[in-house]
């Protein structure tokens, strides 16, 4: 992917070489902070608060990003290169200040500059930053990692999404239950965005379509929307690691086309005067509105169309501005659909090309199908979006017409391959004809995309064999795999400074550019002194996490115990309740005098349950019930602690991953698409206990089977159990330890004597067990016994830990992005060198 740097030789603005704007020394940053305190924030340095210093330092760092951002923008305008457009409903980018300091390589300089303000501590300043509420889970975090890697690999890219005013929710735990409160992440201001109201676009909804004849005598259709919203772009710079490439997120905020109705106001209808404004701005109000109601589903579909339409219009406008015809769209834009949320792009791009650009159908379809690619992130049927035809027609009538025509032409192809086979037509049709008729968004994306990829080798195989076998048979060349990856800059260098120092001292810092260089660590696997240093490094970050746990939950944990961690979205298929059952089993063994050989453990859980997902919320209550009982039992002192970490997010993850000893990746085989938390744990030296699911399969291959605690049935074995008619009550009869566990739960031992509280959970497992906990329980307990045995030999454990880190190079998001660029996007690097005069200053 190498390419010669592009010399950016326009006349250099003075701010490019102004030390207060572009200098990277501590003195330059101090001057920049002081300037922004005074001129931007209206504060004197003598009475600046930590929040003031955070804002001023952020603005000073943003100045350095702008030099690179504008230089790259100008270079691309003068010498166009294919740009990746990553469309995603989520970008879980995490705090930006610390990450940008790493990208610029100025962490020490920033710390020194901040210390000049009343001996302020950079760690406390960094902790001020709110978590941006722009994403929820792995999908959004992956998008953030990919954007960072695109910039680090110097590939031009724009991440398109929504600028949510409120995140999904902040999580409190009250009486053991999850309580959702509003995530007001913007309340203190956010210095990382640039608003461009001059580049706003209109987006329509509802209304009707009508036919007409154009000046050439050709029949055409036009859409006459009943309402409009305006999308205002907010750009967030995304800098690559120690390069001049600065890509961007372009996030759309919705506003009304007419914000205030004077007539309504003057006749006393004060709500009516602002009704359009309120309705339009709801589009970018909150991430993932509850789709359990008709209005919630309507809003979610409107959100998806809103950001997709804004983004595609923006891309076409960019071509217009450069004098490039729309027919060349595929040469300049590679559009990636991150799951089904942006799948409406297939119909919207066709609409824009047909109705706005007046292209013929075949030309428009060729452009669309050569521009769009689709990533599938799930095998769960309920996560594959479908929209009822009535809802779709009421919101997007023109798009539904186009989808009908796309489907008609597509099914003609299918008929040629499968004449007389109506069953395959029903399976492949974009329109689901069974029950309530609906538009299948995954089908639409698959028909319209030139590539469809899964996100782990096993997942991609299951997409072809189980989820979309008929599509894969029709277009085998369209289906491929790109195993997920995560950025080592945030998930090792930023979040684990002690490990970073240890690695740099041992093998140099080249691993930050090329994670495969971690393999050099293998030469230390038999060095007892180095392994001892490795353990002490881990113990240091565990002490930090223990202090955080005590200050936020009141629970005292022993940093020397095994930190056994499961942090991720709470869902039955992820099986947090399987982990909880084994915790009870360990607890009962200790209580019954059978605890010899059990490693002292601190079991940590964290994650959010969807507000309408009762069983997931009950699992949280279950875990907290166990924690309350275990932590108050003197018999467990020094043996077992259980903690649920509230409001798990990127900031908390940056504390948890470095301090973890054991990573619980225990989803039912065949259910997890990939996982990325599993990668972050292993990169930081945690050992994995897991099933052969998602990327676990490839992680185990890379780190070595002897350095991975495997348990559970495989995907084919799970399918065979399901096919035979799974009867969990019969398996329970063979598991006396599990029977005892369920008995104490039913007695109310973990619910203050309430025998009904957890009955739905137990009854569900006994009667259905949809995710095969009982089937895997015995194997899981055997594997946990192996964990305790391995922990007892600390040098052996340290060696396994080191080898997990050493062999994780494959799971860098840089590798994933290279594969996307080479095999799907056909995008190449576009390095930027900012003119000789500025380059000396900027890259010094």
């Amino acid at each position: 992917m190498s390419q010669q740097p592009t010399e950016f030789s326009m006349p250099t603005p003075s701010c490019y070489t102004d030390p207060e704007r572009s200098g990277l020394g501590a003195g330059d940053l101090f001057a920049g902070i002081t300037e922004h305190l005074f001129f931007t924030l209206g504060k004197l340095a003598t009475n600046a608060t930590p929040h003031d210093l955070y804002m001023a330092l952020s603005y000073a760092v943003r100045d350095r990003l702008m030099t690179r951002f504008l230089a790259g923008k100008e270079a691309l305008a003068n010498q166009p290169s294919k740009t990746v457009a990553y469309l995603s409903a989520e970008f879980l980018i995490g705090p930006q200040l610390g990450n940008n300091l790493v990208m610029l390589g100025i962490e020490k300089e920033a710390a020194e500059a901040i210390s000049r303000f009343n001996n302020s501590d950079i760690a406390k300043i960094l902790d001020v930053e709110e978590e941006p509420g722009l994403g929820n889970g792995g999908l959004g975090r992956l998008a953030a990692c990919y954007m960072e890697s695109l910039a680090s690999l110097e590939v031009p890219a724009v991440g398109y999404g929504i600028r949510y005013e409120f995140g999904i929710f902040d999580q409190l735990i009250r009486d053991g239950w999850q309580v959702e409160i509003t995530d007001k992440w913007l309340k203190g201001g956010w210095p990382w965005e640039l608003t461009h109201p001059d580049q706003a676009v209109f987006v329509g909804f509802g209304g009707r379509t009508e036919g007409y004849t154009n000046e050439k005598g050709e029949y055409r259709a036009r859409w006459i929307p009943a309402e409009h919203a305006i999308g205002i772009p907010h750009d967030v710079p995304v800098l690559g690691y120690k390069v001049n490439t600065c890509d961007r997120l372009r996030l759309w905020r919705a506003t009304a086309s007419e914000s205030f109705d004077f007539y309504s106001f003057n006749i006393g209808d004060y709500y009516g005067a602002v009704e359009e404004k309120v309705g339009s701005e709801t589009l970018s109000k909150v991430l993932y509105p509850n789709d359990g109601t008709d209005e919630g589903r309507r809003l979610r579909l409107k959100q998806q169309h809103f950001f997709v339409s804004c983004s595609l219009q923006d891309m076409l406008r960019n071509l217009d501005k450069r004098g490039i015809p729309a027919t060349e769209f595929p040469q300049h834009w590679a559009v990636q659909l991150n799951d089904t949320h942006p799948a409406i792009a297939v119909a919207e791009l066709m609409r824009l090309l047909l109705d706005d650009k007046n292209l013929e159908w075949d030309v428009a379809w060729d452009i669309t199908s050569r521009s769009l690619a689709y990533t599938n992130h799930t095998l769960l049927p309920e996560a594959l979006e479908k929209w009822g035809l009535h809802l779709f027609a009421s919101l997007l009538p023109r798009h539904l017409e186009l989808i009908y025509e796309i489907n008609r032409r597509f099914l003609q192809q299918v008929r040629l391959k499968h004449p007389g086979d109506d069953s395959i037509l029903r399976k492949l049709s974009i329109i689901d004809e069974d029950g309530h008729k609906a538009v299948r968004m995954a089908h639409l994306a698959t028909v319209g995309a030139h590539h469809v990829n899964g996100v782990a080798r096993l997942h991609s195989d299951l997409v072809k064999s189980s989820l979309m076998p008929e599509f894969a048979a029709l277009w085998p060349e369209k289906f491929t795999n790109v195993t997920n990856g995560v950025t080592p800059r945030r998930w090792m260098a930023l979040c684990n400074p002690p490990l970073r120092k240890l690695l740099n001292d041992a093998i140099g810092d080249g691993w930050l550019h090329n994670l495969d260089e971690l393999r050099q660590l293998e030469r230390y696997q038999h060095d007892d002194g180095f392994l001892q240093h490795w353990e002490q490094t881990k113990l240091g970050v565990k002490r930090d996490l223990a202090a955080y746990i005590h200050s936020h939950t009141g629970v005292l944990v022993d940093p020397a115990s095994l930190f056994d961690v499961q942090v991720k979205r709470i869902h039955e298929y992820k099986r947090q309740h399987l982990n909880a059952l084994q915790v009870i089993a360990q607890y009962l063994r200790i209580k019954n005098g059978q605890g010899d050989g059990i490693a002292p453990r601190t079991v940590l859980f964290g994650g959010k349950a969807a507000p309408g997902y009762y069983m997931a919320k009950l699992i949280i209550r279950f875990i907290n019930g166990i924690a309350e009982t275990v932590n108050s039992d003197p018999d467990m002192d020094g043996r077992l602690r259980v903690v649920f970490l509230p409001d798990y997010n990127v900031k908390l993850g940056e504390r948890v991953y470095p301090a973890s000893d054991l990573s619980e990746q225990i989803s039912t085989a065949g259910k997890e698409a990939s996982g990325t938390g599993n990668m972050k744990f292993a990169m930081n030296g945690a050992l994995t206990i897991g099933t052969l699911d998602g990327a676990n399969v490839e992680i185990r291959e890379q780190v070595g089977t002897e350095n991975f605690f495997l348990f559970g049935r495989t995907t084919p074995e799970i399918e065979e159990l399901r096919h035979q008619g799974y009867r969990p009550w019969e398996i329970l009869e063979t598991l006396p330890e599990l029977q005892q566990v369920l008995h104490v739960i039913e007695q109310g031992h973990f619910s203050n004597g309430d025998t009904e509280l957890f009955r739905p959970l137990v009854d569900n497992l006994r009667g259905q067990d949809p995710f095969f906990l009982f089937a895997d329980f015995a194997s899981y307990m055997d594997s946990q016994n192996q964990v305790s045995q391995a922990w007892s030999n600390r040098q052996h454990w340290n060696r396994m830990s080191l080898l997990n880190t050493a062999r994780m190079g494959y799971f860098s998001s840089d590798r994933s992005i290279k594969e996307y660029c080479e095999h799907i996007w056909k995008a190449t690097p576009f390095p930027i060198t900012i003119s000789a005069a500025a380059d000396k200053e900027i890259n010094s």
Side-chain angles (χ1 to χ4, degrees):
M1 289 179 62
S2 61
Q3 187 166 313
Q4 290 300 311
T6 300
E7 182 73 20
F8 175 60
S9 56
M10 69 169 276
T12 304
S14 60
C15 60
Y16 277 31
T17 54
D18 178 357
E20 289 186 10
R21 296 290 185 181
S22 63
L24 300 179
D28 304 324
L29 288 171
F30 175 77
I33 294 167
T34 305
E35 177 185 323
H36 280 294
L37 281 172
F38 193 88
F39 289 107
T40 307
L41 302 176
K43 298 289 182 73
L44 294 172
T46 51
N47 57 12
T49 66
H51 185 267
D52 295 333
L53 290 174
Y54 155 70
M55 292 292 284
L57 175 57
S58 296
Y59 281 123
V61 170
R62 196 183 79 174
D63 290 343
R64 277 94 188 135
L65 304 189
M66 286 303 98
T67 302
R68 294 153 176 79
F69 180 79
L70 293 173
K73 193 174 180 181
E74 189 69 20
L76 277 168
N78 292 332
Q79 186 180 334
S81 178
K82 181 178 265 193
T83 301
V84 174
Y86 201 83
L87 270 61
S88 180
E90 297 184 43
F91 288 95
L92 190 58
I93 59 175
Q96 292 297 285
L97 177 55
N99 194 68
N100 282 323
L101 294 178
V102 170
M103 295 295 114
L104 288 165
I106 56 171
E107 294 158 283
K108 291 180 181 178
E109 292 79 1
E112 182 182 334
I114 282 293
S115 71
R116 299 184 190 180
F117 295 91
N118 299 320
N119 292 314
S120 295
D121 180 5
I122 188 68
K124 292 181 179 178
I125 301 305
L126 291 171
D127 198 46
V128 167
E129 185 169 1
E130 285 282 338
E131 174 100 3
L134 299 169
N136 175 36
L139 180 87
R141 185 53 235 170
L142 180 78
C145 285
Y146 280 1
M147 288 303 301
E148 192 259 60
S149 280
L150 280 160
S152 294
L153 294 171
E154 301 178 285
V155 177
V158 183
Y160 283 109
I162 298 178
R163 180 189 179 270
Y164 300 104
E165 184 178 344
F166 303 111
I168 188 164
F169 60 84
D170 283 339
Q171 181 194 58
L172 300 179
I173 301 298
R174 290 180 181 159
D175 298 324
W177 291 98
Q178 170 179 293
V179 176
E180 302 97 21
I181 62 172
T182 306
D183 175 14
K184 301 176 182 176
W185 69 279
L186 286 166
K187 62 181 182 292
W190 199 44
W192 300 105
E193 62 183 2
L194 300 161
T195 307
H196 297 288
D198 58 310
Q199 297 175 36
V201 296
F202 280 82
V203 179
F205 301 98
R208 59 188 173 84
T209 63
E210 64 178 24
Y212 71 98
T213 303
N214 66 13
E215 63 278 3
K216 297 180 181 178
E218 301 166 330
Y219 177 83
R220 292 283 178 174
R222 64 165 65 96
W223 178 25
I224 305 172
E227 58 176 303
H228 285 91
I230 298 175
I232 309 290
H234 294 246
D235 287 350
V236 182
V238 181
L239 182 65
Y241 179 64
K242 291 189 176 181
V243 294
N244 288 325
T245 298
C246 189
D247 292 330
R248 61 181 165 150
L249 291 182
R250 173 152 279 201
L251 305 174
W252 299 96
R253 175 174 61 86
T255 189
S257 55
E258 184 63 55
S259 295
F260 192 80
D261 183 343
F262 272 103
Y263 175 76
S264 296
F265 184 82
N266 287 334
I267 64 172
D269 183 4
Y270 303 126
Y271 175 76
V274 294
E275 184 176 7
E276 184 179 352
K277 174 181 170 63
V278 171
S280 294
E281 292 182 357
T282 300
L283 287 171
S284 55
K285 211 67 163 177
V286 65
L287 170 65
Y288 291 156
N290 187 351
D291 61 357
T293 66
D294 289 341
E295 282 306 308
R297 285 189 288 274
R298 185 178 185 86
L299 176 55
R300 191 177 286 204
L301 180 55
K302 288 182 76 172
Q303 282 186 329
Q304 294 178 5
H305 171 62
F306 167 73
F307 94 84
V308 166
S309 180
C310 287
S311 305
L312 290 172
Q313 289 185 65
D314 192 59
M315 294 176 225
L316 286 166
R317 180 174 57 190
N318 176 275
L319 296 184
D320 290 342
K321 190 175 178 180
R322 292 187 284 168
I324 299 170
T327 51
E328 294 184 21
F329 189 96
Q331 287 92 286
H332 295 274
W333 289 101
V335 183
Q336 190 69 32
L337 310 180
N338 192 29
D339 215 2
T340 55
H341 308 120
I344 192 63
V346 177
E348 174 64 0
L349 185 53
M350 285 295 290
R351 184 190 71 82
L352 292 168
L353 295 172
L354 291 168
D355 299 356
D356 289 7
K357 299 300 182 182
N358 294 310
L359 299 179
E360 297 301 322
W361 181 279
D362 289 342
V363 175
W365 183 250
D366 179 65
I367 293 168
T368 299
S369 58
R370 287 195 295 123
S371 302
L372 305 181
Y374 162 51
T375 300
N376 174 278
H377 280 278
T378 184
L379 296 166
L380 300 176
E382 63 269 24
L384 294 172
E385 290 183 310
K386 295 196 295 186
W387 300 109
L389 293 189
H390 178 74
L391 169 63
F392 210 98
S394 68
L395 273 181
L396 304 170
R398 178 61 176 143
H399 298 74
L400 188 57
E401 289 179 354
L402 294 170
I403 289 170
Y404 281 148
E405 181 60 16
I406 292 168
N407 197 44
R408 185 188 70 78
R409 293 174 181 241
F410 164 60
L411 292 181
Q412 281 292 87
Q413 297 179 44
V414 178
R415 287 189 185 95
L416 291 174
K417 282 222 168 189
H418 302 276
D421 189 346
D422 289 341
S423 65
I424 201 166
L425 293 177
R426 283 197 302 275
K427 289 178 181 177
L428 290 176
S429 175
I430 297 170
I431 307 300
D432 185 357
E433 302 284 356
D434 298 326
H436 298 290
K437 293 185 179 182
V439 180
R440 296 160 157 164
M441 301 308 284
H443 285 51
L444 178 63
T446 302
V447 171
H450 55 81
H451 280 87
V452 177
N453 74 279
V455 289
R457 192 175 66 224
L458 173 63
H459 171 238
S460 295
D461 289 344
L462 290 171
V463 167
K464 290 188 288 186
S465 64
S466 301
L467 188 67
M468 296 181 169
E470 295 83 10
F471 279 110
L474 186 67
W475 294 313
E477 73 287 349
K478 184 179 282 196
F479 286 78
T480 188
N481 172 63
V482 180
T483 298
N484 284 345
V486 299
T487 168
R489 271 78 62 175
R490 180 179 287 273
W491 295 114
M492 294 180 73
L494 174 61
C495 74
N496 199 346
L499 178 61
R500 178 185 182 181
K501 183 179 186 307
L502 178 62
L503 294 176
N504 288 353
D505 290 346
I507 63 173
D509 65 359
W511 60 275
L512 283 159
H513 288 284
N514 177 9
L515 202 60
D516 287 330
E517 292 196 13
L518 289 177
R519 280 277 180 177
Q520 298 176 60
L521 280 174
E522 293 200 34
R523 64 175 179 257
Y524 295 104
Q525 62 179 295
H526 300 296
D527 184 330
D528 289 346
F530 188 84
L531 292 176
Q532 186 67 25
H533 195 180
W534 184 267
E535 181 177 355
Q536 290 303 310
T537 300
K538 172 72 76 170
L539 184 60
V541 290
K542 289 172 71 176
R543 289 193 180 108
D544 291 342
L545 181 58
Y548 175 91
I549 291 169
H550 183 241
S551 65
H552 286 75
T553 71
V555 180
L556 282 169
V557 303
D558 181 5
S561 65
L562 187 154
F563 277 20
D564 179 351
V565 185
Q566 188 175 18
V567 287
K568 55 183 65 196
R569 182 166 50 92
I570 308 296
H571 197 292
E572 288 172 275
Y573 89 81
K574 295 179 184 287
R575 301 203 295 191
Q576 285 91 351
H577 45 338
L578 175 60
N579 191 357
L581 292 177
Q582 76 89 15
V583 170
I584 295 174
Q586 305 283 12
Y587 166 78
L588 292 176
R589 287 179 182 180
I590 296 170
K591 292 294 286 183
N592 295 330
Q594 300 169 347
D596 292 347
I598 296 178
R601 292 196 193 211
T602 297
V603 184
L604 303 175
F605 294 88
K608 296 178 180 179
Y613 190 173
Y614 171 75
M615 193 62 76
K617 296 176 89 166
L618 187 61
I619 289 171
I620 291 176
R621 178 64 184 87
F622 182 46
I623 292 166
N624 282 301
I626 296 168
E628 183 181 346
T629 301
V630 167
N631 298 341
S632 61
D633 189 333
D635 291 344
M636 298 300 115
D637 289 348
R639 308 294 298 273
L640 184 63
R641 282 287 179 268
V642 181
V643 180
F644 188 91
L645 298 168
D647 204 34
Y648 184 73
N649 55 20
V650 173
K651 283 184 76 170
L652 184 48
E654 290 174 1
R655 295 178 181 273
V656 170
Y657 291 117
S660 301
D661 295 306
L662 184 68
S663 163
E664 298 270 353
Q665 306 298 328
I666 60 176
S667 54
T668 311
K671 293 298 181 184
E672 186 73 82
S674 170
T676 50
N678 47 8
M679 303 169 189
K680 298 163 197 167
F681 280 114
M683 282 180 180
N684 284 279
L687 276 60
T688 303
I689 181 169
T691 54
L692 286 178
D693 194 31
N696 286 357
V697 177
E698 291 155 276
I699 290 175
R700 182 170 176 262
E701 289 174 359
Q702 292 289 327
V703 305
T705 58
E706 70 281 8
N707 301 310
F708 186 107
F709 299 102
L710 177 66
F711 78 95
R713 285 170 165 80
T714 63
T715 302
E717 289 168 345
I718 289 288
E719 286 307 307
E720 180 62 23
L721 268 180
R722 183 180 286 112
H723 178 71
Q724 290 175 353
Y726 178 52
R727 292 178 289 277
W729 56 90
E730 292 182 357
I731 290 181
L732 182 60
E733 291 177 1
T734 68
L735 300 170
E737 185 170 39
L738 182 56
Q739 291 174 30
Q740 186 184 12
V741 167
L742 297 181
H743 179 66
V744 295
I745 296 169
E746 290 173 314
Q747 283 185 319
H749 193 71
F750 303 103
S751 49
N752 295 313
D754 185 345
T755 59
E756 295 299 314
L757 180 59
F758 299 128
R759 183 174 297 280
L761 191 63
V762 174
D763 286 350
N764 179 261
L765 291 174
R766 271 207 170 104
Q768 296 177 287
D769 191 14
F771 296 103
F772 300 89
L773 275 72
F774 288 6
D776 281 350
F777 181 80
S779 176
Y780 184 43
M781 293 304 299
D782 288 344
S783 196
Q784 290 287 6
N785 294 339
Q786 294 169 27
V787 169
S788 287
Q789 184 178 358
W791 182 257
S792 66
N793 183 341
R794 300 313 299 279
Q795 285 295 81
H796 176 58
W797 183 279
N798 294 334
R799 179 177 177 274
M800 291 193 294
S801 172
L802 179 144
L803 290 175
N804 265 263
T805 297
R807 296 171 178 176
M808 285 300 290
Y810 179 78
F811 299 99
S812 168
S813 50
D814 293 353
R815 186 269 313 154
S816 303
I817 288 301
K818 286 176 183 176
E819 290 184 9
Y820 274 107
C821 286
E822 292 169 9
H823 304 307
I824 297 178
W825 300 332
K826 309 301 180 186
T828 55
F830 188 78
I832 305 294
T833 299
I834 301 178
S835 86
D839 192 50
K840 180 180 178 182
E841 188 70 41
I842 292 168
N843 291 313
S844 62

